[in-house]
Amino acid sequence: MAFDLYYSDSIVDACLKKSKAATPSIGDYMKKLNMSQYKGKTFDNTIDEGFIFDIDDDVMIPSDEEIKPVTTIPDSVRMRWGSGLSDDDYKTLEEHYKYLKKANPDFDSNQEIFIMDLCQTKMQQTRAMMAGRTDDYIKLTESYRKTFSQAGLKTTPDVAESNNESWGTWIGMISKYTPEEYYKDKTLYKDFDGIGDYFKRFVLRPLQNLQLGTTDRDKEFFVSDEEE
C-alpha cells in the first residue's frame, strides 16, 4: 500500500510454492507482479477486489475521537475527480489542474475536457515513474504531449492576452502602430483619398465657369495665355 503496488493472495501463494519458504521474498513477488496480467494495476485495484486488513485481537484500535485525518480533501475536489483515489492522487490531479488553468485563463469548455484528461495522464505518469515502469512512463509522456498539442494549450499565460489589461493600455499599444480615432487637427485626414480635391478641380470648377461665365483654371492642368 505504501508503494501503491497491487497485492494478491494468489501471487503470494504462487511465490510460496516456488520458494517453499514460510515467507516469500519481495524479489519473487515483484517478478510475478511484472507479468502482463498485472500491468497497470495498483493498490486501488486490490481494494476494489475486496481486500481487508487482518487485525489481531490484541491490537488496540483507536477510537473515532482519537483518529485525526492527516489531510482533508474538499468535497469539490472529490466531485471533480471521483471517489476512491488516495490523497496523494487528489493532490497530484488538483495541482496540475490549477497549473494548466493558470497558464490558460481563457480556456473554453472543449479545452476543459482536454485539461481533465491531461491531469489523469499526469497522475498515471507519476505512478509509472514511482513504480519503475519505464515503458509505461514513456508511452504516457508521449500521450500527454499529443493531447497537450491537440488542445492548443500553453504552459505559461500570455500577458498580452490577459483580461487584466486595461482599455487605456490597449489604446496606448494601438496608437504606436496605427492612427488613433481622434485627432486634434480635424482637417488632417478629412480628404485622405483626394476625392474631394478632385471633385472641386474637375467638376465644380468647370460647372461654375459655365454657369457664371468665369474663366477659373486648374492650378496644375491649364493652357497658358502667354506665348511661351
Side-chain angles (χ1 to χ4, degrees), residues 26-43:
I26 187 65
D28 293 336
Y29 185 85
M30 293 299 293
K31 289 179 181 179
K32 294 286 186 180
L33 202 59
N34 286 327
M35 298 175 68
S36 59
Q37 60 265 39
Y38 304 120
K39 285 285 186 179
K41 287 192 174 185
T42 64
F43 197 78

Side-chain angles (χ1 to χ4, degrees), residues 90-122:
Y90 284 120
K91 287 181 180 180
T92 301
L93 291 167
E94 197 65 13
E95 287 176 1
H96 201 64
Y97 179 75
K98 291 179 179 179
Y99 167 76
L100 291 176
K101 284 188 64 177
K102 184 178 180 180
N104 302 270
D106 299 325
F107 69 92
D108 54 30
S109 56
N110 290 330
Q111 288 178 318
E112 168 80 8
I113 298 174
F114 281 114
I115 288 177
M116 298 287 286
D117 290 343
L118 286 170
C119 292
Q120 296 282 0
T121 304
K122 176 60 68 175

